[in-house]
Each structure stands twice: as C-alpha cells, then as structure tokens.
Amino acid sequence: MKINRDELAEILPQKGKMRLIDEIVRCDFEKHEAESRTKITDECIFFDKSLGGVPNYVLLEFASQTVAAMLGAESKMKNQSADVGFVLSVSNFHFDFDILHSDLFVNVAVALESEMGNVHAYGADFFIDGKKSGDGKLTLMKMEN
C-alpha cells in the first residue's frame, strides 16, 4: 500500500510545515512495517541555513511520523478512530552523517520489533539516496480512544 501527501494530511495529526514526510512508499499492516520517502528542501521547518541543511536528529521525527502514518492508515482502513500516541524513548541511534543537504532523498523504514500492552518498540533504518546511513529504535505508547 502507498500513501500520497494528500492522504497523509487526512491521517497524520501534524499539519502544515510540521508534517515532514512526503509519502509512504510501502506499508504492510500484517508485518507492521512501513517506509516513507521525503525530499529534503530548504522549505523544511528544521532547515538551518547556517548549517546548509537539516540536522540528522530531525530524522527521529521522520521515523515517528512514518509509524503514525502506518497506524493511522490502518485505523482508517478499519473505519476506526486513530489512537493517540507519543514517543517514550529513542535509543541506539547512529547516523553516518550530520547534515541532510537540499535535494537529498531520505527513506525511513520502520518495523515493529516488540510490544507489551500499549507500549510498542519499532526499529528504524535510514537511507540517504538509497544508501543505508543510520538506524535506531523508537519506543511508543498508544493511548486508546
């Protein structure tokens, strides 16, 4: 399943410039996996002109939004309201770069690694122009409606 930018507007709580990801290029509800794709531009709210790009730590929000899009799309498909969630922790993140420069394409692949009740851990892999350039783990809590 793919989700375009207009569809993301319907399922993500982030609006306007705070919606950082451009599209979901792959989403598998059975495997609990998704992948987003985003072109870095100087229009990104986190673009730092003094650095000439977006700092690598912003990709943590890209990963969070990728998970949120997958969960929101699944809820929409089931005609359910989406659960509210928040990030409890980020861990073991490393990146092979400091700054994301304009015109680079970033893919973020997330996959559910474990869950205990309403606490879910997702692995995240980061690809810059197709080359794996980082990874880490997000732990989220879903607050059921």
Side-chain angles (χ1 to χ4, degrees):
M1 168 183 223
K2 292 186 177 188
I3 304 168
N4 67 36
R5 188 159 181 81
D6 292 335
E7 293 167 324
L8 284 175
E10 297 175 21
I11 59 176
L12 282 178
Q14 294 86 354
K15 303 298 178 209
K17 288 193 171 207
M18 277 308 298
R19 191 178 49 222
L20 302 178
I21 60 176
D22 291 342
E23 63 181 332
I24 298 294
V25 295
R26 180 179 58 83
C27 188
D28 186 325
F29 300 131
E30 289 180 18
K31 292 182 179 179
H32 305 284
E33 297 176 348
E35 183 175 347
S36 63
R37 180 172 168 87
T38 305
K39 183 177 182 180
I40 301 298
T41 71
D42 60 2
E43 295 295 314
C44 176
I45 193 169
F46 295 105
F47 190 90
D48 185 330
K49 289 181 183 174
S50 68
L51 298 174
V54 175
N56 63 6
Y57 58 81
V58 174
L59 286 182
L60 301 174
E61 181 61 20
F62 282 53
S64 296
Q65 289 187 23
T66 303
V67 171
M70 175 179 57
L71 297 175
E74 184 175 23
S75 293
K76 183 178 178 182
M77 183 184 72
K78 294 177 178 179
N79 292 320
Q80 299 173 342
S81 61
D83 294 332
V84 175
F86 57 93
V87 176
L88 291 176
S89 70
V90 295
S91 57
N92 300 322
F93 275 91
H94 89 280
F95 299 103
D96 296 342
F97 58 91
D98 294 323
I99 304 298
L100 294 160
H101 299 285
S102 287
D103 298 326
L104 291 175
F105 283 92
V106 177
N107 284 48
V108 180
V110 297
L112 181 67
E113 291 183 348
S114 65
E115 60 182 297
M116 180 181 275
N118 60 343
V119 176
H120 300 223
Y122 288 86
D125 291 320
F126 303 95
F127 300 86
I128 308 302
D129 285 341
K131 178 183 178 237
K132 186 171 179 189
S133 301
D135 56 26
K137 183 174 173 178
L138 290 172
T139 303
L140 314 170
M141 179 177 277
K142 288 173 40 176
M143 306 298 293
E144 296 180 12
N145 292 331

